[in-house]
Amino acid sequence: MLHSKTRWQSPAADSERISELARSLSISPLLSSLLVQRGMDTAELAQVFMDGGAEDRHDPFLLKGMAEAVPRIQKALQEEEHILVYGDYDADGVSSTALMIYLLRHLGASFDIYIPHRSNEGYGLHNHALDWAVQQGVSLVITVDTGISAYHQIAYATELGIDVIVTDHHEPPELLPEAYALINPKLPDCPYPFKGLAGVGVAYKLAEALLGSEVPEEWCEIAAIGTVADLMPLLGENRSLVRRGLSSMRNSAFPGIRALLSVGGITMNTVSAVNIAFGMAPRINASGRLDHAGRAVTLLTTEDAAEAEQFAGELDLLNKERQLVVERIVTEATAKLEERISRSGLPDIIVLADQGWNVGVVGIVASKLLERYYRPVVILDIHPETGMCKGSARSIPGLDIYAALSSCAGLMDHFGGHPAAAGMSLPQGKLEAFDAALNSYAASILTPEDFVAVTAADGEVSIADLTLQAALELERLAPFGMANPLPRFILRGAVVKETRKMGQEGKHLKLVLQQDKLTIEAVAFGKGPLAELLPDGTVVDVLAELSINEWNGSRKPQLMLQDLAVPKAQLFDLRGAADAVKQAAHIQELLRTYSGSRLGQSAAVFQNSWTTPLRDLKGMSLWVYDEAGGISAVHQPEGTRDEEGLSLLCVLDMPESPEQLEALFTAFPETENIALLHSIRDGRDRLQVPTRDHFKSLYQWIATIAASPTPEHEVLLRLSRQSALGVRMVSRMLDVFDELDFIERSGGTITFVPQPAAKSLSTSEHFVRLGKTAEMEQYFMEGSRSELQEFMLSHRLGAS
């Protein structure tokens, strides 16, 4: 049994509305259901969503402040004023700055750009940058993707004689800066109908206001990058901008974009919003995280192909370095957290800090720990000289992290953010109080249900629904991103027909799933080790996205696995493992990694004669079989709770008797998974289901060998040689003869009884027990996995 990482939720379907929409637009019920769930439940709304329409584009002068900004910029152009474009260091800020460069070049303006350094300066408009601007002769500053909160800095600019036009999209504070013009669709009195523009989207509207219909179509490529990278909703005008940008990008004239697509291994003529999110944006962001974002701006604005290739290569290397830095910090942070968990349990809010944790990537680290532990996470870098801590937080839906930080605002020098993510700085001396205050606040807000991750699915389907035509149809919903995610489907009761690892070092997983004689391939990136838990014949439930696999000119539907569950108890057949203890620990770790947050206890059972060290079985309770046919615990790990249940039972030695097998299942009646790790006995050393012919032959040989008292060990050896039966088998048969008085045992010798009283073999308890033990051993030694699973299930039900 494998638990899914998250709880899957599928919306209730309005079958009547879905059927009506499918009929009116001549589309499949699958596509129709997705449109209805996304709120496009009429033919008109659905048509616009799939194909676009004029209503997706709005007059830029509906943006409050635009009417003041445009003539001020035109005045600056006429009087040849020097303009400063002030941006931000993330992908949206980089894209916004690049777009303004293209606009000002087009207008023939005199301009400079300024982007603060993430680590050295931090976010926002800075007075020292304004001082530098004065020295450069700047009289007009245009901010992009920043500035809406820069009340004091803009007042300082005014003192310096600089006008500031703010273009931003972040939430406006109560105290707005007194800028020459504020352009932000989220301003409370802004009549602009679409509030979801990215910073680059606002910059694009400024370009529209200045150029009208003459805005080059290829500028949508820049707008698409920032919009997708900043996780803006791909609805309304954003959807139109990104769709147009992707269309242009497939034949891009920008050397920088072509080079960026190339280093990311992205096929140019099929580039998608997903490629931007996972291929282009991380490389652009790496520039601002580990170096300076100016390098990414140069890449997006260069007209030289060779320079573009150079900068794209540098960003690619920076991104690889960023990945290594993140991996190192995640490893260090996880070790710190696990140590804390071992002492005092998992906190409601995880707060971790250390020196050398690059402040540019701590947000990514927080996201990765949140994914693993499903708790709000705060990761901070401690400056080695000043002791100042700077960090980022990521939260779960049940906790507004901005509200949590607000509850202990007095402990921080600075903080900001929104319900899901935030940033903060505070002295190292206040870290302990900060941690305690956050967890105290969380304890009053969070419930056990909040710690169970939920994933929204788009419906339950069968393999019959997942055709190539269906996959092609889903493309009509693209571009996919925030507020319009890639559709995810639940497929239940599929049988694994084939499992294999693929990629370097078997990092990835490929399955062939079958349902009602139909099959489909499924791929899961980064889940190669999961193959060991999914032998052929396993019945699984999966959460997956439908895609198209193109190879050698052929196209077929393919699932991209997002989550997986095995709803029934599993038997892992590892009989004869070279190192049973190591394998047990390995299976335990696999289950911990791939079975969500609901993993219970683990146990290992073995015979009293076990000599191999068991120190590798950390966190397992250890049990031994006893001679009386029972089973007893010899070690229980600290913190074990009975209510957790048993997720894994590792059988290091098989039971020696039916009584021991029954005791095993009595002790562990609800085991989710059983791993058989016992050794395989040599054929002659195995018991056989006894027959009358076995006993008849043996009786005749005993008459010859033990006519007079003979040492029992000698009888055993001679009978074993003559009968081709193992010594264990012969010994058990002698127990039967002894019970029936066909032989006499005395002082270590055996004597044949020539004329015993007639008795049936079936009256012997040893004979019946030998039959049951031999049958059990046959299953444990020779049975197939499915035979063993059925045998053990029947005995477990009998025991319970």
Side-chain angles (χ1 to χ4, degrees), residues 89 123 148-149 169-174 186 378 391-395 399-407 409 412-425:
Y89 39 66
Y123 176 78
I148 197 64
S149 300
H169 74 123
H170 293 98
E171 292 292 338
E174 288 186 19
K186 292 178 181 171
V378 181
S392 289
R394 297 292 183 269
S395 193
L399 184 94
D400 181 334
I401 194 66
Y402 183 79
L405 291 171
S406 299
S407 73
M412 293 172 285
D413 288 9
H414 170 79
F415 75 99
H418 52 82
M424 75 294 296
S425 61

Side-chain angles (χ1 to χ4, degrees), residues 330-539:
V330 167
T331 300
E332 292 174 4
T334 301
K336 275 179 169 286
L337 179 57
E338 288 294 335
E339 183 184 348
R340 176 172 176 176
I341 291 171
S342 68
R343 293 195 317 267
S344 54
L346 183 62
D348 289 345
I349 297 183
I350 297 166
V351 179
L352 299 168
D354 206 343
Q355 292 183 16
W357 287 0
N358 188 308
V359 72
V361 301
V362 290
I364 301 173
V365 174
S367 295
K368 289 186 175 292
L369 264 67
L370 183 150
E371 184 181 349
R372 177 167 181 177
Y373 295 96
Y374 204 66
R375 293 288 194 278
V377 180
V378 181
I379 303 291
L380 302 116
D381 172 58
I382 305 173
H383 193 284
E385 295 173 4
T386 66
M388 183 56 66
C389 304
K390 287 186 178 180
S392 289
R394 297 292 183 269
S395 193
I396 59 178
L399 184 94
D400 181 334
I401 194 66
Y402 183 79
L405 291 171
S406 299
S407 73
C408 55
L411 295 171
M412 293 172 285
D413 288 9
H414 170 79
F415 75 99
H418 52 82
M424 75 294 296
S425 61
L426 67 154
Q428 184 176 0
K430 294 184 178 179
L431 265 180
E432 190 173 333
F434 175 68
D435 188 338
L438 282 179
N439 273 284
S440 175
Y441 177 84
S444 69
I445 300 294
L446 292 168
T447 67
E449 281 295 306
D450 292 319
F451 295 126
V452 179
V454 175
T455 300
D458 291 278
E460 297 200 13
V461 297
S462 64
I463 290 180
D465 299 316
L466 303 174
T467 62
L468 177 61
Q469 184 57 38
L472 291 168
E473 242 190 352
L474 294 186
E475 285 300 312
R476 297 191 66 184
L477 299 179
F480 297 109
M482 292 299 290
N484 183 42
L486 274 161
R488 289 180 172 179
F489 303 107
I490 298 170
L491 175 65
R492 297 194 188 276
V495 179
V496 175
K497 300 302 291 182
E498 183 183 331
T499 308
R500 66 183 176 91
K501 298 179 182 180
M502 37 176 222
Q504 189 175 9
E505 299 177 353
K507 189 175 182 180
H508 310 303
L509 173 70
K510 187 171 187 177
L511 302 174
V512 176
L513 303 177
Q514 182 176 32
Q515 191 182 61
D516 300 328
K517 298 184 179 179
L518 297 174
T519 61
I520 191 168
E521 291 182 351
V523 172
F525 290 112
K527 291 184 170 63
L530 187 56
E532 299 176 51
L533 303 180
L534 298 172
D536 294 356
T538 304
V539 178

